[in-house]
Amino acid sequence: MSALQETALQRPEPPHKRERRKQARPGELLDAALCLFVEKGFAATRVEEVALHAGVSKGTLFLYFPTKEDLFKAVVHENIVKLFPAWNEEFKSFVGSSGDMLRFAMVTWWNQMGNTPASGIVKLVMSEAKNFPDIAVFYQEEVIRPGHGLLRQILARGVSSGEFRALDLDQAVYTVVAPMIFLMMWKHSIGACAATSDIVDPERFIHTQVDVLLHGLTASPTL
Amino acid sequence: MSALQETALQRPEPPHKRERRKQARPGELLDAALCLFVEKGFAATRVEEVALHAGVSKGTLFLYFPTKEDLFKAVVHENIVKLFPAWNEEFKSFVGSSGDMLRFAMVTWWNQMGNTPASGIVKLVMSEAKNFPDIAVFYQEEVIRPGHGLLRQILARGVSSGEFRALDLDQAVYTVVAPMIFLMMWKHSIGACAATSDIVDPERFIHTQVDVLLHGLTASPTL
Amino acid sequence: MSALQETALQRPEPPHKRERRKQARPGELLDAALCLFVEKGFAATRVEEVALHAGVSKGTLFLYFPTKEDLFKAVVHENIVKLFPAWNEEFKSFVGSSGDMLRFAMVTWWNQMGNTPASGIVKLVMSEAKNFPDIAVFYQEEVIRPGHGLLRQILARGVSSGEFRALDLDQAVYTVVAPMIFLMMWKHSIGACAATSDIVDPERFIHTQVDVLLHGLTASPTL
Amino acid sequence: MSALQETALQRPEPPHKRERRKQARPGELLDAALCLFVEKGFAATRVEEVALHAGVSKGTLFLYFPTKEDLFKAVVHENIVKLFPAWNEEFKSFVGSSGDMLRFAMVTWWNQMGNTPASGIVKLVMSEAKNFPDIAVFYQEEVIRPGHGLLRQILARGVSSGEFRALDLDQAVYTVVAPMIFLMMWKHSIGACAATSDIVDPERFIHTQVDVLLHGLTASPTL
DNA sequence: TATGAATGAGTCTTCATTCAT
DNA sequence: TATGAATGAAGACTCATTCAT
């Protein structure tokens, strides 16, 4: 809403910093909280830390979020919505083989989500789902259902074009989902421990996954 | 029920009740801890609760596990690390195609681990790895490294027999690991919320995964 | 009494009650701690008790002193270390014989320290030194070293004026220190037990000590 | 009672170790406790540690001493009695000047007590007197009263022989007591901290104390 | 709104003491 | 007597939450 004002024509004086900050508070808190929750988990993050990171006092945080749990829910809520930009559109207009489309989907998924703090949200949701059942439901509705729907369409496209085999689509989507979710979880757990030697390179990982996904491990019979 | 066996004839000396309990304590505590950690997470589980579940007092727990963190480590060790020696043996003697071997590996993995509370520990380790760096390290050493080694051998066997294509084995192992870890994570997060509609059936999931893993999504060129 | 001054006219702004309390907190806590530590010893004093005595809650204490041990250190600092700067000044301006100076030193020492709760802290430090090595070190640096230095100067003054014999000053300082420390210890141990009959009267004790210190027990040769 | 048996004429077989140990238990416990209480203080010493040092189990300790406090009292009790060997006799037969006698008393006191674990008892009693009032009373009766009596006699001897000035004996005894008690306390507190630089050499300390005690700090008028 | 001092319920951990064997 | 497993009361410390300013 203040967007209108902010983009007003060459307005000579920028709005009072105070005012701008005031408006921005909840967002800054959510950003700080996202960052810390992702880094340390829900339980291990102290609300005071979040407030400090956002540059406000502990009391102010509770002005906007009556509870640590509420803060958490808001963080996830806020960031889950962002998880689905205009992907659907993008895919409707995709031109090319379904194999390429699948690869494109996974690479895009990684670039726009896995490679951003949003992947931390996924990890957070997976880690805390049982402690926040309504988040799980919300996530299911807002992310999983549409996400799976999208992937289903891609697979269905391939099947109907004869490029893919006949597939049990309900199951096959997990064929795409599993490696991506795994990669995000890995990145934010084992992969985040410096001492761990077995580091996964996301690009190569995705490349291999798509490759095997399309052609399987088995050697071609005639070749 | 096993009481019958325990009171069987010519039992040389029944262990004193006290003694029996003494021996059993750590195990009972570990069981209780496994149960509660999996159900509520590490931070949300109170040590006293664990003790009570095991039928002992808080103090007794600290007799065996000097620290809550030590208890957690012991649970991980008991439920994950201990599984590996047997697995290694099992696979050495496998007879059959590498495809069957891969399927056998994944089904066994699920039956002996995914389908038991141990899978909850896997989820916990992924969730808490960053808070317990030394657990992450020893998990890497004791579980991931040998586990990946085992899978690598299976894949290598297939490659050298000509059954599988030439593969970048370092990457290909994740092709097997990812769906399994994903399945365990799912089961203990989104999948554990009753409200969630999109429930995954492990058997069908694994079946599909193996199928696609072996033959890919792509339809056979000539057939 | 200074209240009069505080409410004097044109007082710009009376400090908010909250603010006043805030400023006073550490001091009140220190007073309470002094009192309780002296009365019951370090180990036997519960931090909550200290807080309650200061009229605040347990949590508030930890706001100012992160640790029980830190509280103890602060008490020592506040009650012992802080006395020294003033003393040093006081003695620089003393006029009179060195014998009088010595008497003055001991009487002052007693009045300003021995006769106050601070003497209890001295006793506590002696009692607990081995359990708090870093307190022992800083007590040595901040109290013993400057204190002995001061006494040394007094004795040196007497020696160089010819009033005192040539003395091994390093040893002679203990001649002054020993009775004073003894008196404080006594007051807070044996002397504090009502049942004990053999009560020491500090004034007479010091009087006798100074007397013997200056003239010895031996009868004058010529008289 | 078993003393009789134990001193039996050249008994060929030494008593069962077990039996001997059994008899010795309380003594070993008291020794261990003395050692640890002196080293770490009452509160910081764990009863289990004492038991371990004595080579028995925690339970056994409580067989002999129903309470940690009882153990403490027994330790002090036991060792306080030892503080007065046959000193009185020794002094009755002393031949020499009263100055020499005083020096002899202090040196002996140090050698037979200050320099032995008994000095730890003195420190313990001074430190814990207020928490154990009956120990204070007992100590007063058994140690302080006779001790002061002895010193009083020495001083009285000097006074009546004209070697010492007329003295308020009740006060003058502290002239001898204070440095000795101080020295013992020092040894077991500040002096026991390695980091402390200002270490007191007992022999020189006593030498100086006696010297000043007899002749004072003041230079002889005529010389 | 914003602050940050204050709170106190909650948690881990210790350790003297008990008691079945 | 001796053991050592078990107990549970007690205490230090944390941190989400409140509230006067």
Side-chain angles (χ1 to χ4, degrees), chain C residues 18 25 56-60 64:
Chain C
R18 269 237 154 177
R25 279 294 131 77
V56 299
S57 75
K58 200 180 3 176
T60 301
Y64 295 100

Side-chain angles (χ1 to χ4, degrees), chain D residues 50-110:
Chain D
V50 174
L52 259 41
H53 268 239
V56 300
S57 74
K58 215 188 331 186
T60 303
L61 187 153
F62 282 95
L63 233 45
Y64 294 101
F65 306 97
T67 276
K68 192 189 181 185
E69 297 213 344
D70 288 323
L71 173 64
F72 181 72
K73 288 180 187 173
V75 167
V76 178
H77 227 88
E78 174 81 5
N79 287 282
I80 279 180
V81 172
K82 288 182 189 159
L83 297 183
F84 273 86
W87 285 8
N88 285 18
E89 291 314 308
E90 249 183 281
F91 283 89
K92 272 179 191 151
S93 58
F94 185 89
V95 179
S97 75
S98 290
D100 286 350
M101 196 171 179
L102 194 62
R103 167 171 287 111
F104 178 69
M106 290 174 78
V107 170
T108 302
W109 190 353
W110 181 255

Side-chain angles (χ1 to χ4, degrees), chain A residues 39-40 123 126-127 130 140 163 165 168 171 185 189 196 198 204-205 208 213-214 216-219, chain B residues 38 123 126-127 130-131 140 163 165 168 171 185 189 196 198 204-205 208 213-214 216-219:
Chain A
E39 189 186 324
K40 325 172 59 163
K123 192 248 180 176
M126 298 288 284
S127 295
K130 250 192 308 198
Q140 165 73 22
E163 187 181 347
R165 312 189 266 128
D168 174 348
Q171 292 297 312
M185 292 295 310
S189 54
T196 307
D198 212 355
R204 292 187 64 204
F205 174 92
T208 305
L213 216 51
L214 293 177
L217 299 166
T218 309
Chain B
V38 168
K123 187 251 181 177
M126 297 289 285
S127 296
K130 260 195 295 202
N131 293 120
Q140 163 74 23
E163 188 181 347
R165 308 188 270 126
D168 176 347
Q171 293 297 312
M185 294 288 313
S189 52
T196 306
D198 210 357
R204 291 186 64 202
F205 174 93
T208 306
L213 214 50
L214 292 177
L217 299 166
T218 309

Side-chain angles (χ1 to χ4, degrees), chain C residues 64-85:
Chain C
Y64 295 100
F65 307 98
T67 277
K68 191 186 181 186
E69 196 171 329
D70 286 321
L71 176 63
F72 184 51
K73 287 180 191 171
V75 169
V76 175
H77 191 91
E78 180 72 17
N79 291 281
I80 312 283
V81 177
K82 274 182 123 175
L83 297 175
F84 273 84

Side-chain angles (χ1 to χ4, degrees), chain D residues 2 6 20 27 52 58 60 62 67 73 79 96 98 105 111 116 125 128 150 162 164 167 169 175-176 221 223:
Chain D
S2 72
E6 290 206 343
R20 266 247 312 288
L52 259 41
K58 215 188 331 186
T60 303
F62 282 95
T67 276
K73 288 180 187 173
N79 287 282
S98 290
N111 288 339
T116 74
V125 171
E128 305 284 351
L150 190 52
F164 293 163
L167 295 164
L169 291 184
T175 265
V176 187
L223 301 189

Side-chain angles (χ1 to χ4, degrees), chain B residues 95-111:
Chain B
V95 178
S97 75
S98 290
D100 287 350
M101 196 173 180
L102 194 62
R103 169 171 286 110
F104 177 68
M106 290 174 76
V107 169
T108 301
W109 190 352
W110 181 255
N111 288 338

